[in-house]
Each structure stands twice: as C-alpha cells, then as structure tokens.
mmCIF file of all heavy atoms in Angstrom:
data_model
loop_
_atom_site.group_PDB
_atom_site.id
_atom_site.type_symbol
_atom_site.label_atom_id
_atom_site.label_comp_id
_atom_site.label_asym_id
_atom_site.label_seq_id
_atom_site.Cartn_x
_atom_site.Cartn_y
_atom_site.Cartn_z
ATOM 1 N N ALA A 1102 176.094 -34.435 87.708
ATOM 2 C CA ALA A 1102 174.765 -33.825 87.563
ATOM 3 C C ALA A 1102 174.061 -34.389 86.318
ATOM 4 O O ALA A 1102 172.861 -34.667 86.376
ATOM 5 C CB ALA A 1102 174.804 -32.301 87.508
ATOM 6 N N ILE A 1103 174.803 -34.523 85.257
ATOM 7 C CA ILE A 1103 174.263 -35.138 84.017
ATOM 8 C C ILE A 1103 173.860 -36.575 84.289
ATOM 9 O O ILE A 1103 172.711 -36.987 83.888
ATOM 10 C CB ILE A 1103 175.263 -35.022 82.889
ATOM 11 C CG1 ILE A 1103 175.480 -33.555 82.514
ATOM 12 C CG2 ILE A 1103 174.776 -35.794 81.667
ATOM 13 C CD1 ILE A 1103 176.649 -33.334 81.528
ATOM 14 N N LYS A 1104 174.742 -37.281 84.972
ATOM 15 C CA LYS A 1104 174.415 -38.709 85.254
ATOM 16 C C LYS A 1104 173.246 -38.839 86.136
ATOM 17 O O LYS A 1104 172.346 -39.742 85.930
ATOM 18 C CB LYS A 1104 175.651 -39.393 85.935
ATOM 19 C CG LYS A 1104 176.897 -39.470 85.071
ATOM 20 C CD LYS A 1104 176.731 -40.499 83.981
ATOM 21 C CE LYS A 1104 178.035 -40.711 83.252
ATOM 22 N NZ LYS A 1104 179.068 -41.341 84.047
ATOM 23 N N LEU A 1105 173.135 -37.973 87.200
ATOM 24 C CA LEU A 1105 171.952 -38.071 88.072
ATOM 25 C C LEU A 1105 170.661 -37.725 87.423
ATOM 26 O O LEU A 1105 169.603 -38.319 87.635
ATOM 27 C CB LEU A 1105 172.230 -37.110 89.307
ATOM 28 C CG LEU A 1105 171.212 -37.105 90.399
ATOM 29 C CD1 LEU A 1105 171.207 -38.512 91.066
ATOM 30 C CD2 LEU A 1105 171.458 -36.048 91.405
ATOM 31 N N SER A 1106 170.778 -36.704 86.491
ATOM 32 C CA SER A 1106 169.609 -36.329 85.768
ATOM 33 C C SER A 1106 169.104 -37.383 84.809
ATOM 34 O O SER A 1106 167.855 -37.527 84.569
ATOM 35 C CB SER A 1106 169.920 -35.057 84.928
ATOM 36 O OG SER A 1106 168.749 -34.505 84.376
ATOM 37 N N GLN A 1107 170.071 -38.230 84.343
ATOM 38 C CA GLN A 1107 169.645 -39.399 83.466
ATOM 39 C C GLN A 1107 169.108 -40.514 84.296
ATOM 40 O O GLN A 1107 168.256 -41.260 83.829
ATOM 41 C CB GLN A 1107 170.962 -39.868 82.735
ATOM 42 C CG GLN A 1107 171.444 -38.841 81.699
ATOM 43 C CD GLN A 1107 172.752 -39.244 81.083
ATOM 44 O OE1 GLN A 1107 173.441 -40.140 81.627
ATOM 45 N NE2 GLN A 1107 173.205 -38.580 80.042
ATOM 46 N N LYS A 1108 169.513 -40.651 85.538
ATOM 47 C CA LYS A 1108 169.138 -41.798 86.365
ATOM 48 C C LYS A 1108 167.823 -41.481 87.119
ATOM 49 O O LYS A 1108 167.041 -42.416 87.364
ATOM 50 C CB LYS A 1108 170.302 -42.108 87.387
ATOM 51 C CG LYS A 1108 170.046 -43.325 88.213
ATOM 52 C CD LYS A 1108 171.200 -43.608 89.095
ATOM 53 C CE LYS A 1108 170.993 -44.863 89.968
ATOM 54 N NZ LYS A 1108 172.147 -45.168 90.833
ATOM 55 N N LYS A 1109 167.647 -40.237 87.574
ATOM 56 C CA LYS A 1109 166.513 -39.913 88.385
ATOM 57 C C LYS A 1109 165.606 -38.939 87.688
ATOM 58 O O LYS A 1109 166.066 -38.159 86.821
ATOM 59 C CB LYS A 1109 166.959 -39.290 89.732
ATOM 60 C CG LYS A 1109 167.793 -40.264 90.621
ATOM 61 C CD LYS A 1109 166.994 -41.340 91.178
ATOM 62 C CE LYS A 1109 167.838 -42.157 92.117
ATOM 63 N NZ LYS A 1109 166.988 -43.327 92.679
ATOM 64 N N SER A 1110 164.297 -38.891 88.100
ATOM 65 C CA SER A 1110 163.384 -37.960 87.469
ATOM 66 C C SER A 1110 163.512 -36.582 87.999
ATOM 67 O O SER A 1110 164.085 -36.389 89.111
ATOM 68 C CB SER A 1110 161.926 -38.505 87.795
ATOM 69 O OG SER A 1110 161.621 -38.339 89.117
ATOM 70 N N LYS A 1111 163.026 -35.616 87.293
ATOM 71 C CA LYS A 1111 163.096 -34.213 87.735
ATOM 72 C C LYS A 1111 162.349 -34.044 89.099
ATOM 73 O O LYS A 1111 162.919 -33.338 90.001
ATOM 74 C CB LYS A 1111 162.478 -33.282 86.677
ATOM 75 C CG LYS A 1111 163.334 -33.134 85.435
ATOM 76 C CD LYS A 1111 164.482 -32.231 85.703
ATOM 77 C CE LYS A 1111 165.261 -31.861 84.469
ATOM 78 N NZ LYS A 1111 166.319 -30.902 84.617
ATOM 79 N N PRO A 1112 161.150 -34.568 89.257
ATOM 80 C CA PRO A 1112 160.516 -34.402 90.558
ATOM 81 C C PRO A 1112 161.283 -34.990 91.735
ATOM 82 O O PRO A 1112 161.293 -34.410 92.809
ATOM 83 C CB PRO A 1112 159.109 -35.137 90.374
ATOM 84 C CG PRO A 1112 158.884 -35.049 88.921
ATOM 85 C CD PRO A 1112 160.229 -35.140 88.257
ATOM 86 N N TRP A 1113 161.955 -36.097 91.499
ATOM 87 C CA TRP A 1113 162.708 -36.765 92.540
ATOM 88 C C TRP A 1113 163.874 -35.863 92.948
ATOM 89 O O TRP A 1113 164.165 -35.722 94.123
ATOM 90 C CB TRP A 1113 163.245 -38.131 92.079
ATOM 91 C CG TRP A 1113 164.003 -38.848 93.149
ATOM 92 C CD1 TRP A 1113 163.520 -39.773 94.012
ATOM 93 C CD2 TRP A 1113 165.385 -38.753 93.438
ATOM 94 N NE1 TRP A 1113 164.449 -40.262 94.859
ATOM 95 C CE2 TRP A 1113 165.652 -39.655 94.491
ATOM 96 C CE3 TRP A 1113 166.469 -37.982 92.961
ATOM 97 C CZ2 TRP A 1113 166.924 -39.786 95.085
ATOM 98 C CZ3 TRP A 1113 167.761 -38.125 93.563
ATOM 99 C CH2 TRP A 1113 167.951 -39.009 94.587
ATOM 100 N N ILE A 1114 164.576 -35.308 91.930
ATOM 101 C CA ILE A 1114 165.770 -34.446 92.218
ATOM 102 C C ILE A 1114 165.315 -33.240 92.958
ATOM 103 O O ILE A 1114 165.995 -32.846 93.976
ATOM 104 C CB ILE A 1114 166.430 -34.124 90.897
ATOM 105 C CG1 ILE A 1114 167.113 -35.304 90.312
ATOM 106 C CG2 ILE A 1114 167.538 -32.995 91.125
ATOM 107 C CD1 ILE A 1114 167.698 -35.151 88.855
ATOM 108 N N LEU A 1115 164.237 -32.557 92.583
ATOM 109 C CA LEU A 1115 163.751 -31.377 93.238
ATOM 110 C C LEU A 1115 163.321 -31.681 94.640
ATOM 111 O O LEU A 1115 163.653 -30.893 95.551
ATOM 112 C CB LEU A 1115 162.587 -30.765 92.395
ATOM 113 C CG LEU A 1115 162.028 -29.477 93.013
ATOM 114 C CD1 LEU A 1115 163.136 -28.353 93.116
ATOM 115 C CD2 LEU A 1115 160.895 -29.025 92.131
ATOM 116 N N ASN A 1116 162.620 -32.822 94.875
ATOM 117 C CA ASN A 1116 162.163 -33.144 96.197
ATOM 118 C C ASN A 1116 163.387 -33.421 97.152
ATOM 119 O O ASN A 1116 163.362 -32.974 98.242
ATOM 120 C CB ASN A 1116 161.248 -34.327 96.135
ATOM 121 C CG ASN A 1116 160.892 -34.827 97.555
ATOM 122 O OD1 ASN A 1116 161.431 -35.752 98.055
ATOM 123 N ND2 ASN A 1116 159.850 -34.288 98.118
ATOM 124 N N THR A 1117 164.367 -34.127 96.554
ATOM 125 C CA THR A 1117 165.517 -34.440 97.389
ATOM 126 C C THR A 1117 166.324 -33.199 97.771
ATOM 127 O O THR A 1117 166.780 -33.069 98.897
ATOM 128 C CB THR A 1117 166.443 -35.375 96.654
ATOM 129 O OG1 THR A 1117 165.729 -36.604 96.279
ATOM 130 C CG2 THR A 1117 167.640 -35.903 97.538
ATOM 131 N N TYR A 1118 166.456 -32.273 96.797
ATOM 132 C CA TYR A 1118 167.075 -30.967 97.015
ATOM 133 C C TYR A 1118 166.369 -30.270 98.148
ATOM 134 O O TYR A 1118 166.972 -29.769 99.114
ATOM 135 C CB TYR A 1118 167.099 -30.198 95.769
ATOM 136 C CG TYR A 1118 167.636 -28.759 95.955
ATOM 137 C CD1 TYR A 1118 168.985 -28.550 95.982
ATOM 138 C CD2 TYR A 1118 166.772 -27.663 96.089
ATOM 139 C CE1 TYR A 1118 169.474 -27.237 96.206
ATOM 140 C CE2 TYR A 1118 167.242 -26.419 96.270
ATOM 141 C CZ TYR A 1118 168.580 -26.156 96.357
ATOM 142 O OH TYR A 1118 169.005 -24.909 96.526
ATOM 143 N N LEU A 1119 165.038 -30.183 98.042
ATOM 144 C CA LEU A 1119 164.285 -29.395 98.999
ATOM 145 C C LEU A 1119 164.326 -30.004 100.366
ATOM 146 O O LEU A 1119 164.183 -29.292 101.436
ATOM 147 C CB LEU A 1119 162.775 -29.254 98.592
ATOM 148 C CG LEU A 1119 162.508 -28.336 97.363
ATOM 149 C CD1 LEU A 1119 161.103 -28.570 96.837
ATOM 150 C CD2 LEU A 1119 162.821 -26.895 97.693
ATOM 151 N N ASN A 1120 164.655 -31.288 100.469
ATOM 152 C CA ASN A 1120 164.668 -32.016 101.750
ATOM 153 C C ASN A 1120 166.103 -32.008 102.405
ATOM 154 O O ASN A 1120 166.304 -32.542 103.480
ATOM 155 C CB ASN A 1120 164.176 -33.405 101.668
ATOM 156 C CG ASN A 1120 162.715 -33.450 101.774
ATOM 157 O OD1 ASN A 1120 162.115 -33.016 102.818
ATOM 158 N ND2 ASN A 1120 162.003 -33.992 100.798
ATOM 159 N N SER A 1121 167.108 -31.477 101.636
ATOM 160 C CA SER A 1121 168.533 -31.567 102.134
ATOM 161 C C SER A 1121 169.213 -30.295 102.188
ATOM 162 O O SER A 1121 170.236 -30.195 102.845
ATOM 163 C CB SER A 1121 169.277 -32.598 101.216
ATOM 164 O OG SER A 1121 169.262 -32.182 99.905
ATOM 165 N N VAL A 1122 168.746 -29.234 101.434
ATOM 166 C CA VAL A 1122 169.503 -28.025 101.370
ATOM 167 C C VAL A 1122 169.454 -27.307 102.699
ATOM 168 O O VAL A 1122 168.493 -27.405 103.499
ATOM 169 C CB VAL A 1122 168.938 -27.070 100.240
ATOM 170 C CG1 VAL A 1122 167.607 -26.595 100.575
ATOM 171 C CG2 VAL A 1122 169.931 -25.976 99.950
ATOM 172 N N TYR A 1123 170.503 -26.489 102.996
ATOM 173 C CA TYR A 1123 170.588 -25.762 104.295
ATOM 174 C C TYR A 1123 169.852 -24.447 104.232
ATOM 175 O O TYR A 1123 170.129 -23.628 103.358
ATOM 176 C CB TYR A 1123 172.082 -25.568 104.707
ATOM 177 C CG TYR A 1123 172.286 -24.976 106.000
ATOM 178 C CD1 TYR A 1123 171.762 -25.517 107.145
ATOM 179 C CD2 TYR A 1123 173.137 -23.839 106.147
ATOM 180 C CE1 TYR A 1123 171.914 -24.879 108.409
ATOM 181 C CE2 TYR A 1123 173.308 -23.252 107.412
ATOM 182 C CZ TYR A 1123 172.717 -23.827 108.584
ATOM 183 O OH TYR A 1123 172.899 -23.209 109.741
ATOM 184 N N TYR A 1124 168.995 -24.189 105.221
ATOM 185 C CA TYR A 1124 168.203 -22.893 105.263
ATOM 186 C C TYR A 1124 168.709 -22.037 106.393
ATOM 187 O O TYR A 1124 168.030 -20.986 106.656
ATOM 188 C CB TYR A 1124 166.736 -23.215 105.378
ATOM 189 C CG TYR A 1124 166.115 -23.771 104.103
ATOM 190 C CD1 TYR A 1124 166.027 -25.113 103.937
ATOM 191 C CD2 TYR A 1124 165.656 -22.921 103.184
ATOM 192 C CE1 TYR A 1124 165.481 -25.624 102.780
ATOM 193 C CE2 TYR A 1124 165.026 -23.407 101.994
ATOM 194 C CZ TYR A 1124 164.968 -24.765 101.798
ATOM 195 O OH TYR A 1124 164.363 -25.225 100.671
ATOM 196 N N GLY A 1125 169.768 -22.371 107.057
ATOM 197 C CA GLY A 1125 170.279 -21.491 108.155
ATOM 198 C C GLY A 1125 169.626 -21.922 109.476
ATOM 199 O O GLY A 1125 168.573 -22.634 109.525
ATOM 200 N N ASN A 1126 170.210 -21.413 110.586
ATOM 201 C CA ASN A 1126 169.714 -21.696 111.962
ATOM 202 C C ASN A 1126 169.485 -23.222 112.161
ATOM 203 O O ASN A 1126 168.431 -23.593 112.751
ATOM 204 C CB ASN A 1126 168.404 -20.882 112.220
ATOM 205 C CG ASN A 1126 168.667 -19.415 112.400
ATOM 206 O OD1 ASN A 1126 169.258 -18.987 113.393
ATOM 207 N ND2 ASN A 1126 168.378 -18.619 111.372
ATOM 208 N N HIS A 1127 170.417 -24.022 111.774
ATOM 209 C CA HIS A 1127 170.457 -25.460 111.979
ATOM 210 C C HIS A 1127 169.344 -26.164 111.263
ATOM 211 O O HIS A 1127 169.096 -27.390 111.591
ATOM 212 C CB HIS A 1127 170.443 -25.785 113.446
ATOM 213 C CG HIS A 1127 171.403 -24.970 114.258
ATOM 214 N ND1 HIS A 1127 172.713 -25.244 114.231
ATOM 215 C CD2 HIS A 1127 171.274 -24.047 115.166
ATOM 216 C CE1 HIS A 1127 173.372 -24.431 115.052
ATOM 217 N NE2 HIS A 1127 172.507 -23.642 115.607
#
C-alpha cells in the first residue's frame, strides 16, 4: 500500500478502488 501510494496518485487509487470493489449481487 505504501509502495502503491508512492507510485500512483490519490485520485487514481480512489478511482481504481471504486471501479473494482464488490458491492454485492454480482
């Protein structure tokens, strides 16, 4: 997580998280 935070910007990490996290019901 530290390495990723150093390599990628905060907006990129948040956008990638929002596009990959599981919200239920497939």
Side-chain angles (χ1 to χ4, degrees):
I1103 294 172
K1104 295 288 186 70
L1105 186 63
S1106 189
Q1107 293 170 348
K1108 185 176 181 179
K1109 298 291 186 180
S1110 68
K1111 288 284 187 177
W1113 184 93
I1114 292 172
L1115 182 57
N1116 175 264
T1117 306
Y1118 173 82
L1119 289 169
N1120 276 303
S1121 59
V1122 71
Y1123 184 53
Y1124 287 92
N1126 287 289
H1127 309 291

